[in-house]
Each structure stands twice: as structure tokens, then as C-alpha cells.
Amino acid sequence: MVRTIQPTIFQRFFRTETAGGSVLLLFGIAALVLANSPLAGTYQRLWQIRLTFGIADHPLSLTLHQWINDGLMAIFFLLVGLEIKRELIVGELASVRKASLPIACAIGGMIVPAAFYWICNMSGPNARGWGIPMATDIAFALGALALVAPNAPAGARVFLAALAIIDDMGAVLVIAIFYSHALAWSALVAAALIVALLIGLNAMGVRHLWPYLLAGIALWYFMHESGVHATVAGVALAFTIPTSTRINAADFSRQGRRILDRFDRTESGDLLVITSKAQQEALFRLDNASRGVIAPILRLEHALHNFSAFVVMPLFAFANAGVRIGGPLDHAEVTVGVILGLVIGKPLGIAAAALGAIKSGIGELPDGVGWTSLLGYACLAGIGFTMSLFIAMLAFHETGPVTAAKSGILAGSLLAGIAGAIFLRIASRFRDDE
């Protein structure tokens, strides 16, 4: 009898992100093709279609582009927040020893790229783009790793994923603090009250997800009206989702065995559950027990993963990656700053931070990872696509700098992926990881 080995949570996460990265790439390419085709005008006008929702006295009217960037991307940020919370509680960030290296590398990988960009854009409105090369696109980074190093050790994949998750945490803080508009305090107070309500639901042991999601919609609205970017509401909501369960693993095992024994005893002989009311009742009880042992945070994360990977992020890429290639190169300093930040700043910052953490004794290299391969993974972290595009939209309000930033993000991410492949190829050839 062949035994099927079930994938771990991280293996399923890695596979989803890898496949999602491929879909993301296809939609990004489609956007580039349309933006440089005779349909470019239609492509641009599509995102300016205005959609209005809400009651008559307080309508919320946004363009399709804004609904994607402010609305759908809040779901992406909700998933990011859930992943961060899970990693902090039971994952790779749950202990100081395990978390120290990716935290140090993420900090170095944010500060140094921002410094490279700032050197190229020290003054004027273009200086606001310093946050663009800070971010790592986890889907593209893991997808590139699967493509160029399919046999990379598990420790390397976990390290890169943890690094990207901490990177996302830093990007969320940067967006909330530096890329929000003038604050509307009444709406901000309303948002704070909703967060307090969500915390109260958690404290009272409410484990049904629908009260949190309904309150989350209201939180998104007030956050949007407050001037703090609406997507931050997704992260705030994520940190209030419960991690506790109604029953523990031992209770579930006992209940499950009793229920399955009853299921077997009540077989009617035709092997059709629909003819056995007792078996149907046993299945309903087993389903209830299963819901009781799965933490709400895991149920929501599981429900959102595919939707985020195969709907939200591809739509975001399709709406934002369309860059006109050719023509005059305006705001070249923005493009150069972003490329230098992603291609040189990211690996340099990550490698320097790793060296400092390991030499000081607060961290250690993952099993099977040597310094050459670490530099390869650090280069892959320079693939900044989704979050970098998002920050570029927040940093600039004029078409010229946004287009220049997009060009830098696309070129820098491509070069970072190529550099990562080269270093990983060298590491594999000289076997410095063994």
C-alpha cells in the first residue's frame, strides 16, 4: 500500500505562491502588451470607469483602478496580516533564535535600498519614492526560486519566505506612517472604535468569522475616509482574528474516532451515505468537530490564499503594470534609483545584515545554505513587483514619476531575478552548500 504524504502548511503556501507568481507574471506581461499596442487608449480608459456604492447621502465613488488598489488590495493585506500573525505565534518568527536572522536581513534589505534611491533623489518631489525599492514580492520571489533552484533546501525557502513576510510588515508600517494623507480625525476615531470592537469579540471568544468580516468592511470604509490608506485596515483586522480553538487536538482525535466508529457500524450495506441517516449524522458531527479544532485564523487564511493569488494580485498587476516602452525618458533619476535599490541595495543590505547577525552570534545560516547561495536568495528578494508598484502609486501623484518608477520596478525586478539565478548556479556548481 502506497502511503500519501500530506504537504505541510509551508509546502502548501510555497506551492500556492509559486503558481500565483506564474499567473501574476502572465497578467503583468498582458498589461505591458496592451499598454504598447493600438488598444493602449482603451486599456487606460478602462481603469477610469467610475463605480459608486453606498447610500444616497454618503456614496463612495471610486474609479475601477481605485477599487482594485484600495479595495481588492485590502484583501491582499488581510492575508499578509494573517501570515505575519501566524508566523509570530507558531511559525518561523515565533522564537528569537529562529526569527533573528530573517528580521536582521529584512531590516538591512529595507534600509540600504531606500538609501540607494535617496542618493539618486535627494530633494524635490521625487524624494518621496524612497520606499519603492524596499519591498519584496513574495509570490514572484518564491516563484523565481522554484524556477532557478528547484532543489533548494527547505531552510532556504523558509528563510526567503520569512524575510519577505517581515519585509511586508515593514512596508505596511511605511505605508501607514509615510504615505497616508491628511488625517480626518472623526473617521480615524470611528476606525479605532471598530478595532476596539474587534478586540472585544476576540476577548469574548467569538470564533465565527462573519462578525469580524462585517466589522472589517466598516473598518475599511472609515480607514479610507480617515486619510490612512485603506489597505492598512486589512492588517488591523488580521491581528484581531482569533487563534484559539473550541477543542484541542486530543479532544478532536477522541471525538473523531468515536464518530468514525459509529459511521462504520451504521453502514446500510449499499455503501451509499445518502441511504443511512446515522452516517449522515456522523458526518455532520465530524464536520462540526473539524471546525472546532481549526483556528479561525487558519480557516480565513486558507479561504483567502487562492483568491488573493489568482484574482487579487493578477488584477492588480493587470491594472498597474502597463508601462509605455520607448519615448522620452522623463524622471530618469527615479528609474535609476529604483533599479539600484532593487538590484544592488537589496542583496547588499541583506548580506551585510546576515554577516553582522551571524558574527555577533544572534543568528545562524539555515541548514544547507552557504554564503554564495545566500547572496543568490538576497538577489531574489530584490524582485519587488506588487508592493513596489503599490508604494509607487502612493508616493507620486503625477504620471511622469509613476511611469518612471514602474519602469525601474520592472527592469530592476528582472535584473534581480537574473542575478539571483547566476549566484545560485555558481553555488550549485561549486557545492558550497554541502
Side-chain angles (χ1 to χ4, degrees):
M1 175 177 169
V2 178
R3 181 182 176 187
T4 301
I5 301 176
Q6 296 296 322
T8 65
I9 289 178
F10 177 77
Q11 288 172 330
R12 290 195 297 270
F13 169 80
F14 181 72
R15 291 172 187 173
T16 301
E17 295 298 331
T18 300
S22 301
V23 176
L24 193 62
L25 178 61
L26 290 176
F27 275 76
I29 292 173
L32 278 173
V33 171
L34 283 174
N36 292 274
S37 75
L39 296 175
T42 303
Y43 169 80
Q44 297 297 338
R45 288 192 296 273
L46 170 66
W47 310 117
Q48 300 310 311
I49 295 174
R50 188 163 289 274
L51 301 176
T52 303
F53 295 95
I55 58 178
D57 293 338
H58 299 283
L60 184 60
S61 182
L62 301 174
T63 64
L64 185 57
H65 187 265
Q66 290 171 323
W67 277 115
I68 292 173
N69 284 16
D70 293 4
L72 278 182
M73 283 299 284
I75 298 174
F76 167 74
F77 276 82
L78 170 58
L79 180 60
V80 168
L82 293 172
E83 291 168 350
I84 291 171
K85 182 175 182 178
R86 175 172 52 79
E87 291 295 324
L88 287 171
I89 295 173
V90 297
E92 293 302 311
L93 309 179
S95 70
V96 175
R97 186 65 178 173
K98 293 168 70 176
S100 57
L101 183 63
I103 287 176
C105 290
I107 292 173
M110 288 186 284
I111 293 175
V112 178
F116 269 80
Y117 179 91
W118 182 78
I119 290 172
C120 298
N121 300 269
M122 289 187 178
S123 61
N126 288 348
R128 279 182 51 82
W130 57 268
I132 297 172
M134 293 175 62
T136 295
D137 189 302
I138 188 170
F140 263 149
L142 291 178
L145 178 61
L147 179 65
V148 303
N151 297 320
R157 298 195 296 268
V158 172
F159 167 76
L160 185 58
L163 169 64
I165 288 171
I166 299 167
D167 201 297
D168 282 345
M169 193 186 311
V172 169
L173 291 175
V174 167
I175 290 169
I177 297 172
F178 298 102
Y179 292 111
S180 295
H181 306 298
L183 298 182
W185 288 102
S186 58
L188 194 60
V189 169
L193 290 175
I194 293 174
V195 171
L197 171 64
L198 288 164
I199 294 173
L201 291 173
N202 191 322
M204 289 186 295
V206 176
R207 296 186 184 88
H208 292 291
L209 287 172
W210 65 264
Y212 294 92
L213 299 180
L214 286 177
I217 294 172
L219 176 61
W220 177 89
Y221 173 78
F222 285 113
M223 199 72 81
H224 180 274
E225 297 298 297
S226 73
V228 176
H229 200 272
T231 51
V232 176
V235 180
L237 172 61
F239 274 80
T240 66
I241 301 298
T243 58
S244 59
T245 60
R246 178 167 50 82
I247 60 175
N248 59 32
D251 291 336
F252 173 74
S253 180
R254 286 192 294 269
Q255 289 185 29
R257 292 176 191 280
R258 287 198 301 267
I259 293 169
L260 288 175
D261 286 342
R262 177 171 173 75
F263 180 88
D264 292 337
R265 290 196 308 271
T266 54
E267 167 59 43
S268 59
D270 56 8
L271 301 180
L272 297 175
V273 174
I274 197 170
T275 63
S276 173
K277 291 188 179 298
Q279 283 190 326
Q280 295 167 29
E281 181 63 27
L283 288 177
F284 289 133
R285 289 185 177 183
L286 185 62
D287 180 61
N288 183 58
S290 297
R291 289 197 303 270
V293 77
I294 301 175
I297 188 174
L298 292 180
R299 283 193 279 123
L300 185 56
E301 188 177 339
H302 179 75
L304 291 179
H305 243 306
N306 286 342
F307 183 72
S308 176
F310 300 114
V311 178
V312 175
M313 294 176 69
L315 274 177
F316 174 82
F318 191 56
N320 292 281
V323 179
R324 188 94 178 158
I325 300 173
L329 185 60
D330 296 327
H331 303 278
E333 64 278 9
V334 172
T335 303
V336 173
V338 172
I339 292 175
L340 291 178
L342 292 175
V343 179
I344 299 177
K346 266 288 182 182
L348 182 61
I350 291 172
L355 182 62
I358 292 170
K359 291 298 183 182
S360 64
I362 65 172
E364 57 184 18
L365 286 174
D367 291 338
V369 176
W371 284 104
T372 305
S373 57
L374 177 72
L375 194 56
Y377 305 134
C379 288
L380 294 182
I383 302 175
F385 197 73
T386 304
M387 197 70 80
S388 294
L389 285 174
F390 191 75
I391 294 176
M393 298 292 184
L394 301 180
F396 303 126
H397 304 293
E398 297 179 0
T399 303
V402 170
T403 301
K406 287 182 179 181
S407 299
I409 292 165
L410 296 177
S413 297
L414 177 61
L415 291 173
I418 293 173
I422 292 172
F423 278 109
L424 290 174
R425 179 66 176 171
I426 293 172
S428 174
R429 176 164 297 182
F430 288 96
R431 301 180 182 276
D432 73 336
D433 294 339
E434 295 183 356

